[in-house]
Amino acid sequence: MESSYLQKCLGTCLTQGLTEVARVRPLDPIEYLAFWLYKHKENMDMEQMRQEEMIALEREKELAMMEQEMLERLKAEELLFQQQLAFQLELEMQQKEKQKTEGFQAGQEKSSKNMVNMESTVRSEEQEPMQSEELVTDSGKTLAEISDRYGAPNLSRVEELDEPMLSDNGVSAPP
């Protein structure tokens, strides 16, 4: 039972230490073996710490690589988002420009129609000035009712009363 314990705990290191004592042949082999065992223990502890550090370093390296990949993905997504935003802005600018162009064309068409209507109105008024005046007076509407423009005066109709008219000599004329 004791031999199995010694074999399990000291088997390899004791055989390596005794081999070293036999190779070096120091003056005090027991002291040499004791120092060698202490040094072997320090070396084993250092090796274990180095392995733990290597494992931690590998984990950190993996985390750093994952973080780097995530940053690259974020940069790629940000670039894609910026490109999409720029594309949308470009489309909006094109639509606004198209609307301005269409509005300008519609305005030109409207103004040309207005010009044609004004010209035809002027021509018809030149040809029949009396008829237009008769239409206005015959309809019995006020100027405000005829005009649909904003700010046109709202003049009420003046009705003539049956009053005797005075003549030049001061005598009222019969109705």
Side-chain angles (χ1 to χ4, degrees), residues 153-169:
N154 188 5
L155 302 174
S156 61
R157 246 182 288 159
V158 178
E159 294 185 23
E160 295 182 21
L161 299 174
D162 291 335
E163 295 182 8
M165 297 181 69
L166 296 175
S167 63
D168 289 337
N169 58 7

Side-chain angles (χ1 to χ4, degrees), residues 5-160:
Y5 169 75
L6 289 175
Q7 183 68 28
K8 179 181 165 190
C9 295
L10 297 175
T12 55
C13 72
L14 190 56
T15 54
Q16 289 174 352
L18 290 174
T19 306
E20 188 67 24
V21 169
R23 187 180 65 81
V24 174
R25 295 184 185 247
L27 293 177
D28 190 4
I30 295 173
E31 185 180 4
Y32 185 83
L33 181 60
F35 283 125
W36 190 90
L37 287 173
Y38 280 122
K39 184 66 175 170
H40 180 72
K41 173 70 172 149
E42 284 180 17
N43 289 345
M44 295 303 282
D45 289 343
M46 292 298 282
E47 180 66 25
Q48 185 179 2
M49 283 179 43
R50 189 177 66 80
Q51 287 178 354
E52 289 173 358
E53 286 177 358
M54 290 297 287
I55 291 170
L57 184 63
E58 284 295 320
R59 269 192 240 132
E60 288 178 17
K61 192 176 182 180
E62 288 175 8
L63 288 174
M65 290 182 76
M66 288 173 49
E67 187 175 318
Q68 182 68 26
E69 289 174 3
M70 186 183 299
L71 285 174
E72 289 175 1
R73 275 190 255 134
L74 285 175
K75 285 181 182 178
E77 286 178 14
E78 183 179 353
L79 180 63
L80 180 63
F81 179 73
Q82 287 176 351
Q83 288 174 347
Q84 288 175 345
L85 184 62
F87 182 71
Q88 283 181 333
L89 289 174
E90 183 67 29
L91 284 177
E92 288 176 7
M93 293 292 287
Q94 288 176 356
Q95 288 176 348
K96 286 180 182 178
E97 190 67 32
K98 187 177 179 181
Q99 289 174 350
K100 284 181 183 178
T101 306
E102 289 173 355
F104 181 70
Q105 289 174 351
Q108 282 184 338
E109 289 174 6
K110 201 180 252 187
S111 64
S112 64
K113 286 180 182 178
N114 286 341
M115 291 294 285
V116 169
N117 287 340
M118 287 175 55
E119 288 176 2
S120 65
T121 304
V122 168
R123 287 182 193 150
S124 66
E125 286 180 359
E126 288 174 355
Q127 292 174 359
E128 302 171 4
M130 297 300 277
Q131 290 177 354
S132 62
E133 289 176 10
E134 289 173 3
L135 287 174
V136 171
T137 56
D138 287 341
S139 66
K141 293 184 178 180
T142 64
L143 182 60
E145 291 171 341
I146 294 172
S147 174
D148 59 347
R149 290 189 200 165
Y150 176 76
N154 188 5
L155 302 174
S156 61
R157 246 182 288 159
V158 178
E159 294 185 23
E160 295 182 21

